[in-house]
Amino acid sequence: MNIYVCVKQTVDLQQVRIRKETREPVLDGVPLTIGNIDKNALEEGVRLRDKLGGKVIGVSAGSEELNDTIKEALAMGADEAIMIIAPELEGAESSTVAMALAKAIEKTGEIGIILLGEGSSDNYSGQVGPRIAEILDLPQITYVSSLEAEGNTVKAVRNLEDCFETVEAEMPVVVSVVSEINEPRIPAVTQILKAGRKPKQIYSPAELGVEIAGSQIKTISNLAPEQDRKRLLFQEGVGQDVKSLVAALESEGLLGR
Amino acid sequence: MDFKLTKEQELIQKAAREFAEKSIMPIAEQIDRDNFVPQEIFDEMGELGFFGLQFPEEDGGTGAGYSCYPLVVEQIARASSGVAMTFSVHSLGTSAIYTFGTPEQKARYMPDASSGKKLSSFAFTEPATGSDPKQITTTAVQDGDYYIINGTKRFISAADLDGPIVIFAKDDETGKPTAFIVDKNCPGYSVSEPWHKIGNRGGRLLDVYLKDVRVPAANLLGPKGNGYMVLQYGIAFGKVGVSSTALGGMQAALELSIKYAKEKAHRDSTIAKFPTTQVTIAKIAEKVEAARWLTYRLGYLAESTKDLREFAKEAALTKAFVTEAAVDVSRMAVAVHGSYGLMDDYKVSMIYRDAIIGEQIEGVNDMQRMIVAGNLLS
């Protein structure tokens, strides 16, 4: 059984600084990595493979640097990788990326499960998974916090914030996971060193019949939230100050929710 | 010239950082307080392949190379210098076996040492001498196919943990120091309680008592009477670990200073606005970067060196600079914290205690300078 895990190349968010004057993120020189929730999807794929057999195939679309970035997915346990590489795929909108990923998966073999993170670490639009399911006409289960597979059936628990929902579906199926589903493993040194020697298949968008149209999405703002202090001072004595503090917190919507 | 890490090196560094942040940082204070590293930490380091980083696959290592070793030790020391110290000394003992061991010795000791199942030690220092080979009093007397070793070794890392220990003793034939590989905890081998030292706590130092310890002649490490060579060059490799340990502490000191400066309120602002704080933090950063690249370079040299004497000079130079810089950096980091920096509640005080250790171990820094000058002026 093929377990496809879609991963996205993003900047390492832990190493992004915010320029204080403009609140813009400083991305120059920040190493590229695969997204955090993608690692949860990958971990789940590796666990399923260890239980059910088959192969875990990492799938990703992006720029030339992906050749290097994908090693992280291979080090974490993917058996092989499929990449769609073109400069214009870096930062491409979800519809284009979903089409590229779906076509690459469709081209390369029999589908068991397609796993994704619920949203990417950088934009978190959460669109790629559902779009892949639509393109390939497959059932999809989103917000998955627990996943089991037996025979040809998957059973998933969906975390819907105010309740949990347990659902079943027949394979092939698209499953997008939330971060609490597992704790991704730290790759061992030997796995990291073997990653570069695992099989990799590279496609261009043209080979998959994917056309990359101009972007229909315009980013209006990408700034860090302001974190100014309120600088409220209460100096009327403890009795009054506590009341004033409570009133101030309530007025900010921080109490009594 | 390329200062960029390869993707593999970057991932190994990241794996070490994630491990250190997840498994060591939450218990770093406990390790310091109890002067003890839980076995699970070493087990996990073994599973991740850290103990065999710099050794080839045929000797049970990962084949990643010595260049990767400082990247990992730095990240571990950033969380706990005590863990890093044990790791570093293990590498010192294992490197000596790898460099000077016979194929049979390597086959016997390297796989378990490279996987971390056994932790190596290195024992030269005695109650009466730290560095002078002529002053050692431990003796090795040949008895057929065995040597009988008697003596006391002082301040020995991981001396109570199972594994090989490289022991230096004067043999009865040459009267000069000779190195032997001894199995710790063999008959006649015993240890003291751990010393209560000022820093790098968790990296435990013990005294080793050797009473009629019988060691097969096959366990001679290097030629008889050539123990000084094993000491000099073995310990040169150990300085990669000592420098990397100091570097990790410096990086932690820098991060803590920046965080504290940005948070510590003064009137309507923070102390980060003070020019004196800014100058101090800039000075810390200067030293951290200089130390980092010297240390990474030493890792590269350990991997590529053909000339052990030249490498020993570079190791001495790096160790002296980096460990001294670590003391400067941690002192400045304490200054950024003011009186709070003196309190156990603040990690920077531990980093200061840790930093002081580096200048004294594996050869005091003035001795490093004698090695450097001896090479340059010869």
Side-chain angles (χ1 to χ4, degrees):
Chain A
M1 182 181 70
N2 288 335
I3 302 169
Y4 292 90
V5 183
C6 302
V7 297
K8 182 177 180 182
Q9 172 175 261
T10 69
V11 291
D12 187 343
L13 294 181
Q14 277 191 316
Q15 299 192 47
V16 173
R17 289 187 303 113
I18 303 297
R19 200 178 298 282
K20 202 174 170 187
E21 299 77 21
T22 60
R23 290 193 283 127
E24 287 172 342
V26 181
L27 303 177
D28 287 347
V30 178
L32 295 167
T33 182
I34 58 174
N36 281 342
I37 313 179
D38 300 354
K39 290 179 187 170
N40 295 105
L42 192 53
E43 177 66 30
E44 202 58 26
V46 171
R47 289 183 190 190
L48 283 174
R49 179 212 47 206
D50 291 348
K51 189 176 165 202
L52 305 172
K55 278 192 300 192
V56 172
I57 304 167
V59 193
S60 191
S63 60
E64 191 67 31
E65 290 81 6
L66 195 53
N67 261 314
D68 242 9
T69 312
I70 201 72
K71 287 177 184 169
E72 192 167 3
L74 293 164
M76 288 181 66
D79 299 288
E80 50 191 79
I82 301 170
M83 291 176 284
I84 310 101
I85 291 183
E88 55 271 37
L89 279 172
E90 193 61 36
E93 60 191 53
S94 303
S95 57
T96 306
V97 173
M99 184 60 78
L101 296 174
K103 292 295 177 189
I105 291 170
E106 198 172 35
K107 193 179 174 86
T108 53
E110 195 186 334
I111 304 168
I113 304 176
I114 300 174
L115 280 161
L116 304 92
E118 189 53 48
S120 59
S121 295
D122 48 4
N123 291 338
Y124 212 95
S125 70
Q127 288 197 31
V128 173
R131 282 180 182 273
I132 288 176
E134 287 300 311
I135 294 165
L136 298 176
D137 195 21
L138 298 178
Q140 55 172 310
I141 313 175
T142 53
Y143 298 102
V144 171
S145 60
S146 168
L147 184 65
E148 288 170 31
E150 201 161 324
N152 209 34
T153 306
V154 295
K155 187 173 173 184
V157 177
R158 304 180 68 214
N159 184 347
L160 301 176
E161 292 199 358
D162 55 351
C163 69
F164 291 97
E165 181 182 61
T166 303
V167 296
E168 281 186 2
E170 294 296 307
M171 294 185 210
V173 61
V174 176
V175 175
S176 54
V177 307
V178 291
S179 59
E180 60 261 37
I181 191 167
N182 56 41
E183 188 175 347
R185 70 194 61 195
I186 298 172
V189 173
T190 44
Q191 294 305 315
I192 291 169
L193 297 174
K194 280 180 190 162
R197 301 197 288 270
K198 289 185 176 177
K200 290 191 280 189
Q201 173 79 50
I202 299 174
Y203 294 111
S204 68
E207 285 175 288
L208 300 170
V210 175
E211 202 173 316
I212 304 176
S215 177
Q216 299 174 58
I217 295 175
K218 187 176 166 192
T219 302
I220 296 167
S221 172
N222 186 26
L223 302 181
E226 287 191 79
Q227 288 186 317
D228 268 358
R229 295 174 186 217
K230 292 283 177 185
R231 300 179 197 283
L232 298 179
L233 281 178
F234 305 107
Q235 295 174 307
E236 306 294 322
V238 175
Q240 181 55 41
D241 288 349
V242 170
K243 286 179 193 160
S244 303
L245 175 61
V246 169
L249 291 172
E250 279 174 343
S251 73
E252 294 286 335
L254 298 171
L255 282 184
R257 280 194 288 178
Chain B
M1 195 178 294
D2 188 358
F3 288 93
K4 195 173 182 296
L5 302 183
T6 65
K7 188 66 188 177
E8 283 75 8
Q9 289 168 338
E10 205 180 271
L11 289 175
I12 289 169
Q13 182 185 49
K14 190 174 175 182
R17 182 167 63 239
E18 284 180 12
F19 159 72
E21 289 181 353
K22 180 172 81 69
S23 298
I24 302 178
M25 269 185 190
I27 58 165
E29 277 180 39
Q30 174 199 317
I31 289 171
D32 182 62
R33 185 185 63 238
D34 300 348
N35 193 24
F36 179 76
V37 180
Q39 182 59 36
E40 301 84 68
I41 297 290
F42 296 132
D43 291 344
E44 203 175 343
M45 287 171 65
E47 284 162 20
L48 289 169
F50 294 161
F51 288 117
L53 264 178
Q54 66 271 55
F55 306 114
E57 287 174 273
E58 57 267 29
D59 291 311
T62 65
Y66 239 114
S67 294
C68 291
Y69 175 66
L71 306 177
V72 171
V73 180
E74 176 191 2
Q75 294 304 324
I76 288 172
R78 177 173 163 261
S80 162
S81 292
V83 178
M85 182 176 175
T86 308
F87 182 16
S88 169
V89 175
H90 164 76
S91 301
L92 161 62
T94 310
S95 290
I97 295 171
Y98 173 69
T99 308
F100 297 103
T102 62
E104 294 73 24
Q105 288 170 343
K106 288 208 257 185
R108 179 167 174 201
Y109 290 105
M110 289 300 298
D112 278 353
S114 294
S115 65
K117 283 182 192 149
K118 301 279 175 72
L119 291 182
S120 309
S121 299
F122 192 87
F124 178 84
T125 300
E126 295 185 356
T129 181
S131 305
D132 184 354
K134 289 182 181 165
Q135 297 298 314
I136 65 168
T137 57
T138 300
T139 57
V141 177
Q142 190 152 14
D143 178 20
D145 289 339
Y146 286 84
Y147 281 84
I148 313 296
I149 300 182
N150 281 286
T152 299
K153 294 292 178 183
R154 176 141 289 174
F155 304 146
I156 308 304
S157 277
D160 55 339
L161 304 177
D162 269 348
I165 179 169
V166 176
I167 283 180
F168 294 85
K170 279 184 179 167
D171 72 87
D172 58 342
E173 187 184 330
T174 69
K176 292 179 179 172
T178 295
F180 296 87
I181 309 171
V182 176
D183 292 307
K184 287 182 273 188
N185 301 323
C186 64
Y189 179 101
S190 61
V191 295
S192 68
E193 286 294 305
W195 284 83
H196 292 279
K197 66 186 190 309
I198 187 171
N200 284 6
R201 289 170 59 79
R204 304 202 298 176
L205 300 181
L206 304 93
D207 287 354
V208 174
Y209 310 117
L210 304 155
K211 179 147 179 65
D212 296 331
V213 171
R214 285 175 70 81
V215 182
N219 279 25
L220 238 87
L221 184 62
K224 196 188 292 185
N226 268 339
Y228 183 64
M229 180 186 71
V230 179
L231 170 71
Q232 190 184 11
Y233 297 134
I235 217 160
F237 286 96
K239 288 168 197 169
V240 187
V242 173
S243 303
S244 308
T245 301
L247 173 62
M250 293 164 85
Q251 177 62 31
L254 173 64
E255 291 170 23
L256 289 171
S257 298
I258 291 171
K259 184 169 184 287
Y260 188 81
K262 284 178 159 180
E263 288 175 357
K264 174 67 176 171
H266 181 80
R267 296 192 180 171
D268 290 339
S269 186
T270 64
I271 64 166
K273 290 283 192 298
F274 294 175
T276 46
T277 307
Q278 293 169 1
V279 167
T280 305
I281 286 179
K283 280 184 174 174
I284 291 174
E286 289 164 18
K287 287 182 187 273
V288 173
E289 285 306 311
R292 170 164 295 122
W293 293 107
L294 263 182
T295 304
Y296 287 6
R297 172 177 165 274
L298 188 64
Y300 163 75
L301 291 174
E303 186 172 288
S304 58
T305 190
K306 298 277 186 292
D307 181 346
L308 281 178
R309 187 166 181 270
E310 190 62 23
F311 175 69
K313 181 200 86 179
E314 298 297 335
L317 178 156
T318 303
K319 189 265 178 184
F321 178 86
V322 175
T323 56
E324 203 165 279
V327 176
D328 290 345
V329 159
S330 58
R331 180 177 43 74
M332 287 190 281
V334 167
V336 169
H337 286 71
S339 297
Y340 290 102
L342 305 174
M343 305 301 151
D344 283 344
D345 310 67
Y346 285 74
K347 191 180 174 187
V348 73
S349 66
M350 179 177 84
I351 292 172
Y352 184 54
R353 289 188 284 108
D354 291 339
I356 290 170
I357 301 276
E359 289 188 310
Q360 308 303 327
I361 58 172
E362 295 193 20
V364 297
N365 280 357
D366 281 349
M367 177 164 281
Q368 306 308 317
R369 295 183 170 109
M370 302 304 286
I371 295 169
V372 176
N375 182 294
L376 293 176
L377 300 172
S378 64

